[in-house]
Amino acid sequence: MENNQFFNLRRFGMLCRMEWIGAWKMHLRRFVACYAGLAFVLVGYGLGDSNPSLPAYEHNLRFLVHAGLFVMGAFFASCFMECMKTKEGRIAYLMLPASAFEKYLSRWLLFTVGFVLMYILAFELADWTRVVVSKMYYSDLAEQIKPLDLSCYIYGADGNVSTWSLQRTGILIAMCCFVQSLFVLGSSIWPKKTIGKTLIAIVLICLANIQLGHFICKEWGGFHNPILNDNDAMTYLVMTIGAVFAVFNWTLAYFRFKESEIINRW
């Protein structure tokens, strides 16, 4: 590999094939674990609530979907640099004939875009499992038990594209990317025990921000900005902040990986 090469499509394709297809057993185990976790939660909820026709039933299902997305997204992102946990692993991975950007992009696609696609498939299977089991358990309510309609994230009740639904989906995507980026960054800094160390760092940062906000409110009488009273403006502000911080964290993670050494100093 030439040292001045930053990105080569053919080499990148070979690297993706090695990481994505070559480790298919590990990816399959993670998919099964994701499906099993979702199925356990959804089936348990389906059997515990005997009123599937109520609006709260679908609302709670969507909450479980969102919670699972964030929890499993954080878990998968924490595995971003699992190949760098040991000295032997670092040597093997850093010696691969590909640029640092290609290695980082390959894993980024696998643990972000790949995770979302895997999660959607796992959720669909788990949701149909809930439907089948619930219909068997509540045979008299079988017609009312249906899989969650994911079109609600785009369309409104009238069947047309809903601005509110798109805004809600945009916030969900931005926040999911932000949470994942935190654990991707944590994985690039602490390849070992990533989840625990990253959670501690997040808690400390949150506490510091709370103290800062409390100080501002105490000294200057709080925040006074018309944008805080505008729901649409606040929605786009949250999406923008989430996207900007996600890109910032992913960029920091890339430069941290680019400076990786054989001997881990962290």
Side-chain angles (χ1 to χ4, degrees):
M1 182 187 74
E2 298 179 9
N3 292 330
N4 62 345
Q5 285 190 341
F6 179 71
F7 182 82
N8 181 277
L9 185 59
R10 181 175 178 272
R11 187 174 61 232
F12 178 68
M14 294 176 64
L15 178 64
C16 291
R17 181 179 179 182
M18 182 196 73
E19 291 198 335
W20 300 359
I21 302 177
W24 67 270
K25 291 183 179 180
M26 179 182 297
H27 303 326
L28 180 60
R29 286 195 295 267
R30 287 175 177 165
F31 171 77
V32 172
C34 183
Y35 161 73
L38 285 172
F40 177 80
V41 173
L42 294 182
V43 170
Y45 172 72
L47 296 181
D49 194 326
S50 59
N51 296 299
S53 61
L54 295 178
Y57 185 87
E58 183 175 338
H59 175 76
N60 292 336
L61 273 180
R62 287 199 297 269
F63 172 78
L64 293 176
V65 175
H66 300 166
L69 180 64
F70 282 96
V71 172
M72 294 186 181
F75 171 75
F76 276 78
S78 67
C79 301
F80 189 81
M81 283 299 162
E82 61 185 355
C83 57
M84 306 282 281
K85 287 183 178 181
T86 63
K87 181 179 179 180
E88 294 76 12
R90 285 192 292 274
I91 293 174
Y93 195 69
L94 294 176
M95 291 296 291
L96 283 175
S99 67
F101 177 75
E102 291 166 346
K103 296 174 185 176
Y104 180 84
L105 181 60
S106 174
R107 299 192 71 79
W108 183 87
L109 290 173
L110 178 63
F111 286 93
T112 55
V113 179
F115 162 74
V116 172
L117 296 177
M118 182 211 69
Y119 183 82
I120 293 175
L121 178 58
F123 167 75
E124 286 289 343
L125 293 176
D127 197 31
W128 275 104
T129 303
R130 172 190 64 84
V131 170
V132 172
V133 175
S134 297
K135 284 187 175 183
M136 294 172 60
Y137 193 78
Y138 298 112
S139 56
D140 55 329
L141 300 174
E143 295 182 357
Q144 302 179 26
I145 301 174
K146 300 178 181 179
L148 182 65
D149 185 8
L150 297 182
S151 65
C152 64
Y153 291 96
I154 299 177
Y155 300 100
D158 56 358
N160 298 321
V161 176
S162 170
T163 302
W164 182 81
S165 296
L166 292 177
Q167 289 177 344
R168 181 182 62 182
T169 304
I171 291 179
L172 178 64
I173 294 173
M175 291 299 99
C176 180
C177 289
F178 174 63
V179 170
Q180 275 201 309
S181 70
L182 290 174
F183 285 86
V184 168
L185 178 59
S187 179
S188 66
I189 298 176
W190 305 295
K192 296 181 180 179
K193 301 179 180 179
T194 301
I195 293 181
K197 294 178 180 178
T198 305
L199 285 175
I200 292 174
I202 291 174
V203 170
L204 292 177
I205 292 173
C206 288
L207 291 176
N209 287 329
I210 291 174
Q211 289 297 322
L212 177 62
H214 178 71
F215 174 78
I216 292 176
C217 290
K218 183 178 180 179
E219 295 295 327
W220 288 287
F223 299 93
H224 299 286
N225 195 316
I227 195 175
L228 298 177
N229 299 321
D230 189 334
N231 291 333
D232 289 338
M234 277 297 297
T235 297
Y236 294 118
L237 178 63
V238 170
M239 286 191 290
T240 302
I241 291 176
V244 169
F245 275 96
V247 173
F248 178 75
N249 290 334
W250 284 329
T251 303
L252 280 182
Y254 165 67
F255 283 107
R256 167 59 189 160
F257 169 70
K258 189 177 179 181
E259 297 172 358
S260 298
E261 300 172 322
I262 298 298
I263 299 176
N264 190 19
R265 298 175 183 270
W266 295 83

